[in-house]
Amino acid sequence: QVQLVESGGGWVQPGGSLKLSCAASGGWINLMGWYRQAPGKQRELVAAISSGGTTYYGDFVNDRFTISRNNAKNTVWLQMDSLNPEDTAVYYCYGDTIGRLRTNPTGLWGQGTQVTVSS
């Protein structure tokens, strides 16, 4: 059974940076990425990357975040820079066996990691 294990969340001041990582174990994942959910809001795509290197970003990212992966290690990283309080949310790692985004994500989910941006 494939599992996704996240790390790297925490607290940061506005303008700061955080790097999230997610490792898949127990099987191979084609698309890996991150969604987030803030209190009272719907879950939304942050970024995703296929095994072939195709990347997807949420509209709010505005070049502040960079997603990367190591296929051999089945690991994905999300470098987040210029963070602002609106980025505060629980960030969930997502994995799928297909190499593109589904309209409704129905793949695997990690347990979530809290990211808090405040002064």
Side-chain angles (χ1 to χ4, degrees):
Q1 183 176 358
V2 181
Q3 291 185 321
L4 303 176
V5 179
E6 304 141 334
S7 62
W11 172 83
V12 66
Q13 292 185 331
S17 298
L18 280 176
K19 188 171 186 177
L20 306 181
S21 66
C22 175
S25 62
W28 182 76
I29 295 293
N30 193 333
L31 186 80
M32 295 186 74
W34 298 88
Y35 284 74
R36 72 183 188 182
Q37 188 167 22
K41 294 187 178 181
Q42 290 187 333
R43 190 172 296 188
E44 61 181 348
L45 172 70
V46 179
I49 183 169
S50 71
S51 61
T54 300
T55 57
Y56 306 85
Y57 289 97
D59 292 339
F60 63 87
V61 170
N62 293 325
D63 296 326
R64 298 180 297 131
F65 300 171
T66 303
I67 192 168
S68 59
R69 71 181 286 170
N70 182 315
N71 287 335
K73 296 183 177 180
N74 235 4
T75 299
V76 64
W77 297 272
L78 182 68
Q79 176 66 43
M80 302 187 292
D81 300 318
S82 301
L83 286 161
N84 59 61
E86 290 70 36
D87 295 314
T88 296
V90 178
Y91 285 67
Y92 295 91
C93 183
Y94 176 76
D96 206 332
T97 54
I98 67 173
R100 57 175 176 78
L101 287 174
R102 297 180 193 266
T103 301
N104 295 310
T106 56
L108 296 171
W109 295 97
Q111 77 280 8
T113 185
Q114 177 70 45
V115 171
T116 302
V117 185
S118 71
S119 54

